[in-house]
Amino acid sequence: MQNRTSWIPQQPALGHAGLDARLTAELAVVVTGARRRALRDGDRQIDTAHLLHSLIESDPEVRSAFEGGPQLAKVLGYLVQRSIGYGLRWQGSVEDSGAVPVVPAPESIVWDVAAEGWSPSAASAMAGARERAELRGDVRAGGLDLLAALAADRECRAVEVLERAGVDAERLAARIVGTVGREASWEVDG
């Protein structure tokens, strides 16, 4: 009898105690979904496109940040294409927008999972989401915090997907800031 279970690469589990303390329950679900998507796609690391896909699937506030159904449908279309072949050129490569060093020094690790199981860009986005929440006075980062951090990194895979779908990432990030409140010290990178 043949075992039909396909081989799935292993990815380290997150440090749940530290993660739960810094993310809303909704964003923790997003991270779990992104990890599951990366494993299913055969990717070594969670990247920003995995995070974007999981955010859109599970967070209604994130979906409402887009300019309506047609725009959101187009983004989802690109993300689905990515999971069935569009992103094959990304497989086996590390996503690195330059947001954090590829081999960070211990004192420069900004997110506790940056060293293993996450692309540098995804780790940077998670750190940016947490920082954005702290600037707002919140202890936990939410989905809009992560979407704003993703949209602000012009070199990440999530922004590549957004731009292919016709979304102006800088404008999206600015709209999110206006939705949640204006933080004087948080600026959209351009």
Side-chain angles (χ1 to χ4, degrees):
M1 176 172 208
Q2 263 185 322
N3 183 354
R4 294 181 185 242
T5 305
S6 63
W7 178 81
I8 298 175
Q10 295 298 310
Q11 218 178 45
L14 297 174
H16 290 289
L19 178 68
D20 292 342
R22 294 180 281 193
L23 304 178
T24 61
E26 295 82 8
L27 191 52
V29 167
V30 167
V31 169
T32 300
R35 181 186 315 107
R36 190 175 18 250
R37 183 168 301 288
L39 288 170
R40 186 176 51 234
D41 292 349
D43 295 332
R44 290 182 180 186
Q45 297 179 324
I46 296 170
D47 67 24
T48 59
H50 294 125
L51 289 171
L52 178 63
H53 200 157
S54 189
L55 266 174
I56 290 172
E57 282 184 334
S58 59
D59 193 326
E61 283 186 323
V62 166
R63 289 191 298 273
S64 70
F66 288 87
E67 293 177 345
Q71 185 183 61
L72 187 59
K74 198 168 182 182
V75 172
L76 278 171
Y78 276 102
L79 288 165
V80 168
Q81 287 178 21
R82 187 254 170 140
S83 66
I84 60 173
Y86 163 74
L88 287 178
R89 65 186 169 82
W90 290 336
Q91 283 186 340
S93 65
V94 174
E95 175 189 34
D96 183 17
S97 65
V100 294
V102 174
V103 183
E107 66 275 359
S108 68
I109 295 177
V110 293
W111 180 251
D112 63 352
V113 294
E116 197 173 346
W118 292 71
S119 74
S121 297
S124 178
M126 294 299 291
R130 201 173 97 227
E131 179 181 319
R132 188 172 183 279
E134 288 171 359
L135 288 171
R136 197 177 53 253
D138 288 342
V139 177
R140 295 174 188 242
L144 287 176
D145 295 316
L146 180 56
L147 182 60
L150 290 170
D153 184 352
R154 304 291 303 158
E155 301 297 320
C156 75
R157 291 177 181 169
V159 168
E160 182 179 339
V161 169
L162 290 171
E163 288 177 348
R164 284 181 179 246
V167 176
D168 181 335
E170 186 174 347
R171 186 169 163 200
L172 175 63
R175 194 168 43 254
I176 294 166
V177 170
T179 301
V180 178
R182 302 200 188 286
E183 297 88 359
S185 59
W186 188 82
E187 297 177 15
V188 177
D189 294 335

